[in-house]
Structures are given as C-alpha cells and as structure tokens.
Amino acid sequence: MTERKGAARRAREDDRQGNPKAGEEGKEKQMIVQFFFYLFAALLLISGLLVITLRNPVHAVLFLILAFFNGAGLFLLAGAEFLAMILLVVYVGAVLVLFLFIIMMLDIDFAELRAGFTRVLPLGLLVGGVLVAELVMVFLAWQPSPMAEKLRMAATPEGVNNTEALGRILYTDHVFFFQAAGMILLVAMIGAIVLSLHHRRDVKRQDVAKQVARRREEGVRLVDVKPGEGL
Amino acid sequence: MSLWDTALMLLWIAFKSVLLLVILLVALAMLIYVDRKVWAAVQMRRGPNVVGPFGLLQSFADLIKFVLKEVVVPDATNKGLFIAAPLITTILALSTWAVIPTNAGWAIADINVGILYLFAISSLMVYGTIIGGWASNSKYPFLAALRESAQMISYEVSIGFVIITVLLVAGSLNLSEIVLAQNSGLGTALGLPNSFLDWYWLPLLPMFVIFFISALAETQRPPFDLIEAESELVAGHMVEYSSTPYLLFMLGEYVAITLMCAMMTILFLGGWLPIIDIPPFNWIPGVVWFTLKALLIFFMFALVKAFVPRYRFDQLMRLGWKVFLPISLFYVVLVAGVLVAFDLAP
C-alpha cells in the first residue's frame, strides 16, 4: 500500500517540478500513475455497484468503505493528499463506523423489505427517471471552460503544499462561510442533544463531584454496640 | 533504463520495509517480555524466567505455541470476514510504521501529511475489532466489539485535538519537521543549549498527559482494557478466535501500542534529538535516542498496567467526553491565542 503511494507521490512531485531530465523517465512514471488511476477508478466503480446490489447490508457498508479507500487513492494521485487523509479520518474512520453500528444492531427482515418493493417501485422509477433526465441535460449543456482545465493542472501555487494552500483559502478568503458552516453544525448538534436528553426522576444518577466531595463524617457513624443486643 | 530504475526503487523500498518489519517484530517480542517482567516485578513475582536466559525467549515460545495450534473457525461465523478481521488489524497496525522517522531522514515514506496518515490509519484500526466481533456471530464478541469501538471513537476525539495543538506550535504535518521544530524552544529562549527543555512536553504538558491517557484507552491497555474484562465479556471480540488469527489480533494490538509510544516520542519528546546537544550526548546516533524515549513511554505503559485498577465503562466514557474533550478543546484555543498574540506562530 505504502509502496504504491510512495511511487505515485514521487512521480507526481517530478511532474510538478517539471523535472528536466525526465523525458522517458517522466513518461514511465506517468504510465504508473495512469495505471493506478484506472485501478482505483475501476475498484471504486465496482465497489459502488456492489454497495447498492448486495443483499447483506453489512457487506454493503464494507464495500462502501472500500469505495472510500479508492476515492482517497484517487485524491492522492491528483496531488490532494490532505483531502485523501481527511476522507479517511472523517468518513471511513468515524461516519462509516456509526453506519456499521446502526446496521449491525438493526433487525432487518428481508422478506418484508422485498414485499414492499413492488409497492414503491413506481415511485422509485419516477425519481430515478427524473435524476437520469437531469443528469443527461446537465452533461449535454455543460462545457468546461478552458480556464478550469489550466487551474486543474496547477492545483497549488509554487512552493506551497496542498494542505497549506487549502488552509489559506479556507481560513482567509472564505473564513465567514467556514464559520457559518461551523455554526450550522453546532446548532444541529445542540438540537440532537436537546431532543434526546431527558432527565428521569425515578432513576438514580451518579454525581461524581458529590462523591468526591463526600467526607468521612457523612459516611461513618461510630456506635457503641452492647454485647447481646445489636443495633 | 527507466523501467529498470523503477523496479530497483520498488525493490529497495520493499527491502527497507522487510527490514523494518523484522526489527519491529523482534523488538515486539522483547517488549511483551518487558511488559510481563515489569508487571511481575510490581507484584513481587518472578515473571517469565524459564525459556532461554532470564526467560528472554518466552515470547518466541509463545509464538510457536500459537502457530502450531489448530485454527478453529466456528460453523456459524461469516467465514471470509472472520479470517479478514485479524488480518485487517495487523496489516493496518504495521503499515503505520512506514512513516515513522526513527532518525533524520530514516522514514520509509516521509510524506507531507505524515501525522494525518497516522491518525487516519489508527482510526481505521477499529474495523478489525468491529468486523471480528460481528463475523463471530456470537453475543459476547459482538457486545464487546460495540463497547470497544465506542471507546476507540471517543478517545480519538481528544487525540485529534492534542495533535492539533502540536501542529499549531510546530507548523507542519510532516513528522520529521515536527521533530526538527522541537530543536529550539523554551530552553533556547532562556539561552541554554538545545536540550530536552525545548521539546513540547514542557509547554504542552497537559496535552502530553491527556495524550498518554488517551493512548492507553485507544489501545485497550489497562486500566481501560474493558473488552478483556474476563469477568464480564470473556476476551472481548476475540472470544471465538484461536491459534494464528488470535495471535494476529494480539500482534496488531501490540504494534498499535508501539505506534503510540513512537507518536508520543515524536510529538512531545523530540524524536531522535539528543537529550542535550553537547558532546557526550550528541555522539550517540539519533535512532538510539528515539528507541530510548519510546522505551521510556512503554515502561510507563507497563507500570500503569501493573498498578492502576480497571475503570468502569461509564467512568471511561465520562473521562473521554466530559473531561478530556473540554480540556483539549480549551487548550487548542489557548495555544492558538497565545501563538497569535505573541506572534510566535511559525
């Protein structure tokens, strides 16, 4: 895994520096990069397809993980190592774990699911048809500007690595949008907590501060027990 | 010429990887021995002392025992995933060592986002557990897997914030550059030579403590080894495992522990930098310093295992979410504020 990444990285760095001695060598490395691009892309498509066709939802989520992995690989090939790692940390490392949690704990009755299939089929076909139509229209009308092509080739300014470039744009040019997004997430989080939080009176709760603050005098009582009487 | 070069380069990388792997695995066998010896010494026992001189070969004997046993795959398990889970754990754990610089320029892959790579891979380790628990198709492994993944996810949050504070001070995601950034700091500001006072453990002491405790929780070391609470959950997600697959799980866990030691060494203890940069000390090669520092951390891990009683699950969650998260979040803001206010940001 790391070997592959290493090779791809070096190839990319040579590309970016416009290595002068790289005539044949550059072509060679270009070929390796292309090979890995098609490998990742093919695996991404196959696992994406398996996600929606597999019967067992746990297997489907595992293939979704594979799809994200390949997506991260494509990001690496494109020179966006920060995005690749964040994709792994956030989606694979956190979001999909929660997915797995939920799916593993659900008690899914497949027969019932299939019984409902014919009932919702017309609606599904309608939604799918609209989506396909929209996609076709977009692709027919879409013309990438020649500027965009150039921008894509020079993803980051000279001498600035990917992470730094992204940080500069995010935290200087678009800082308000960034903060607005943060606020929205915070509100969503507080909303979720408020919805799920309810203090039940009849449940005994533990108060750690109270436990720590407890003194000996409150808990221990010295009693002079007389023989043969008890307390 | 070029094809030959590429092949040669790949071979060279493969050779380095295998070398690292061999060193790592032998070191691991010794670490397990150290772990047991420290534990035994605290409890005034002898510990392993039969196989080889001073029992040094105990881990190798254990290895042979595990490998020679029969692999039992229970009938009702999900066979493919059942076998895949320990492999995932071990491979992920081993792949993290590719980016660890044990000396100046000694990392196999000295990538720009090294620390993010480590964080990403160590957050993926949870899959080995959760898949193993689920594929066993048995109640106890499944419950344990759920508990363990909840634990790992919780403590990754505070580990993430600790890493962010270090990144703010160091100004780089590259592990070698983080180490080199610790070459000067508090000590040199006072006019002393480059020494251990410059490393980040001093200015970021609360973060160092939080990282240490979170690392214990993240790797399921005692006092947070709830999944192996024998009285409650038998042996965690590994109940149904035997022989080599079980060994692979244990191996993955121990590699994760060494990784945490290495990460603490790099982030807080100045990596391969000598303790004081004056003659008798800076003659010693960097890799020796790195090993000594990592061993120090591991010794602390072993001591904690020996004399801290196990936490309860709700206490564990409380510590992670209600104590560490606010403190580390506050410290991120504080460090960022100080860096900007005094114009210290790199």
Side-chain angles (χ1 to χ4, degrees):
Chain A
M1 190 68 191
T2 38
E3 285 166 30
R4 284 186 209 162
K5 279 182 192 161
R9 270 189 60 75
R10 257 181 299 282
R12 207 178 54 243
E13 271 165 12
D14 280 356
D15 287 350
R16 204 181 290 163
Q17 287 156 6
N19 206 341
K21 68 168 181 179
E24 205 163 321
E25 203 174 332
K27 209 178 280 174
E28 169 84 17
K29 281 174 180 168
Q30 200 65 42
M31 217 176 71
I32 296 175
V33 170
Q34 259 180 14
F35 168 73
F36 280 112
F37 172 79
Y38 285 115
L39 181 76
F40 286 146
L43 281 174
L44 178 65
L45 288 179
I46 292 170
S47 44
L49 202 65
L50 285 173
V51 171
I52 54 170
T53 51
L54 280 175
R55 282 279 157 78
N56 189 335
V58 173
H59 292 175
V61 173
L62 292 178
F63 274 104
L64 190 58
I65 294 167
L66 190 62
F68 273 118
F69 250 109
N70 287 298
L74 287 179
F75 270 134
L76 273 184
L77 289 183
E81 64 260 15
F82 182 74
L83 285 181
M85 291 302 153
I86 289 298
L87 188 71
L88 286 187
V89 172
V90 175
Y91 281 94
V92 184
V95 174
L96 283 180
V97 176
L98 296 182
F99 261 51
L100 265 186
F101 258 52
I102 293 163
I103 285 172
M104 283 177 176
M105 302 226 266
L106 282 180
D107 192 19
I108 299 172
D109 188 357
F110 290 102
E112 197 183 327
L113 273 182
R114 249 167 276 156
F117 184 68
T118 45
R119 204 160 40 82
V120 295
L121 190 61
L123 190 65
L125 280 180
L126 183 71
V127 173
V130 169
L131 270 179
V132 168
E134 279 177 350
L135 276 179
V136 167
M137 278 193 276
V138 165
F139 273 112
L140 287 182
W142 184 47
Q143 276 183 338
S145 88
M147 293 272 286
E149 198 72 19
K150 256 184 225 154
L151 276 177
R152 200 172 61 187
M153 297 307 282
T156 55
E158 202 60 37
V160 175
N161 70 34
N162 179 271
T163 316
E164 214 176 320
L166 208 62
R168 280 184 190 172
I169 291 175
L170 204 57
Y171 296 115
T172 51
D173 300 354
H174 301 296
V175 65
F176 291 115
F177 296 111
F178 179 78
Q179 295 211 321
M183 282 306 278
I184 291 170
L185 284 176
L186 183 67
V187 169
M189 191 177 84
I190 293 173
I193 291 173
V194 167
L195 282 180
S196 60
L197 186 75
H198 48 93
H199 282 295
R200 286 175 57 181
R201 292 266 163 229
D202 53 337
V203 176
K204 218 178 165 187
R205 299 186 82 86
Q206 194 182 14
D207 186 349
V208 176
K210 220 164 155 187
Q211 288 178 335
V212 172
R214 211 163 109 106
R215 298 283 119 221
R216 181 173 174 275
E217 292 77 41
E218 297 164 35
V220 182
R221 186 164 55 104
L222 278 182
V223 184
D224 195 12
V225 184
K226 301 212 164 48
E229 278 182 26
L231 274 176
Chain B
M1 163 240 174
S2 57
L3 191 68
W4 176 238
D5 269 2
T6 316
L8 211 62
M9 189 186 74
L10 285 180
L11 264 180
W12 175 232
I13 294 174
F15 171 73
K16 282 196 289 190
S17 308
V18 171
L19 189 71
L20 179 71
L21 209 61
V22 170
I23 294 174
L24 195 61
L25 291 182
V26 173
L28 214 59
M30 289 298 132
L31 280 181
I32 294 172
Y33 170 78
V34 169
D35 200 13
R36 294 172 70 174
K37 272 291 190 191
V38 171
W39 200 5
V42 171
Q43 298 176 345
M44 298 177 83
R45 294 184 286 115
R46 283 178 189 278
N49 65 347
V50 176
V51 191
F54 309 106
L56 273 172
L57 300 177
Q58 180 66 47
S59 301
F60 298 98
D62 286 344
L63 171 85
I64 292 168
K65 186 189 85 173
F66 272 120
V67 171
L68 292 183
K69 284 196 171 186
E70 184 192 355
V71 182
V72 180
V73 181
D75 226 16
T77 53
N78 193 323
K79 302 251 168 12
L81 289 179
F82 187 79
I83 298 296
L87 288 176
I88 291 172
T89 306
T90 315
I91 291 173
L92 283 179
L94 288 174
S95 67
T96 50
W97 270 86
V99 296
I100 302 278
T102 45
N103 200 348
W106 273 26
I108 291 177
D110 194 15
I111 60 177
N112 280 344
V113 287
I115 191 72
L116 270 182
Y117 173 81
L118 284 186
F119 189 58
I121 299 293
S122 70
S123 69
L124 294 185
M125 297 273 288
V126 68
Y127 282 110
T129 312
I130 200 168
I131 291 173
W134 182 79
S136 296
N137 196 12
S138 161
K139 283 191 198 82
Y140 289 106
F142 184 55
L143 284 176
L146 289 183
R147 282 173 85 160
E148 187 182 348
S149 22
Q151 174 179 347
M152 288 173 85
I153 293 174
S154 305
Y155 280 85
E156 257 156 37
V157 179
S158 49
I159 285 187
F161 279 121
V162 173
I163 289 177
I164 288 175
T165 42
V166 173
L167 296 185
L168 282 176
V169 183
S172 173
L173 292 168
N174 181 299
L175 292 169
S176 302
E177 280 173 35
I178 291 174
V179 170
L180 290 176
Q182 297 179 55
N183 215 351
S184 58
L186 277 187
T188 44
L190 295 174
L192 300 166
N194 302 335
S195 68
F196 62 96
L197 292 174
D198 299 328
W199 305 339
Y200 290 152
W201 67 271
L202 192 56
L204 301 178
L205 189 61
M207 292 287 100
F208 182 49
V209 175
I210 287 181
F211 194 98
F212 182 78
I213 300 173
S214 300
L216 290 175
E218 180 79 8
T219 52
Q220 274 93 40
R221 289 283 294 186
F224 305 111
D225 60 337
L226 291 158
I227 53 142
E228 287 175 38
E230 289 89 352
S231 50
E232 300 151 35
L233 288 168
V234 203
H237 59 287
M238 300 178 273
V239 176
E240 307 289 346
Y241 281 88
S242 57
S243 181
T244 313
Y246 179 80
L247 178 74
L248 286 178
F249 265 132
M250 294 304 289
L251 189 69
E253 266 180 27
Y254 265 94
V255 175
I257 292 165
T258 60
L259 171 75
M260 282 297 166
C261 296
M263 259 171 102
M264 258 182 276
T265 307
I266 289 168
L267 293 180
F268 293 103
L269 297 181
W272 64 80
L273 299 174
I275 193 162
I276 300 175
D277 200 5
I278 49 174
F281 296 108
N282 58 15
W283 289 340
I284 302 170
V287 64
V288 176
W289 283 117
F290 186 92
T291 315
L292 283 178
K293 289 170 189 173
L295 271 179
L296 175 73
I297 302 275
F298 187 81
F299 182 64
M300 277 156 61
F301 268 44
L303 282 184
V304 169
K305 176 179 181 169
F307 51 60
V308 181
R310 186 180 286 136
Y311 264 52
R312 229 173 38 219
F313 194 70
D314 62 311
Q315 293 171 328
L316 172 90
M317 282 296 161
R318 182 180 165 273
L319 186 69
W321 289 106
K322 292 189 178 172
V323 180
F324 284 174
L325 178 61
I327 293 179
S328 51
L329 192 56
F330 168 74
Y331 221 75
V332 169
V333 177
L334 182 75
V335 167
V338 167
L339 287 177
V340 171
F342 295 98
D343 205 19
L344 293 167

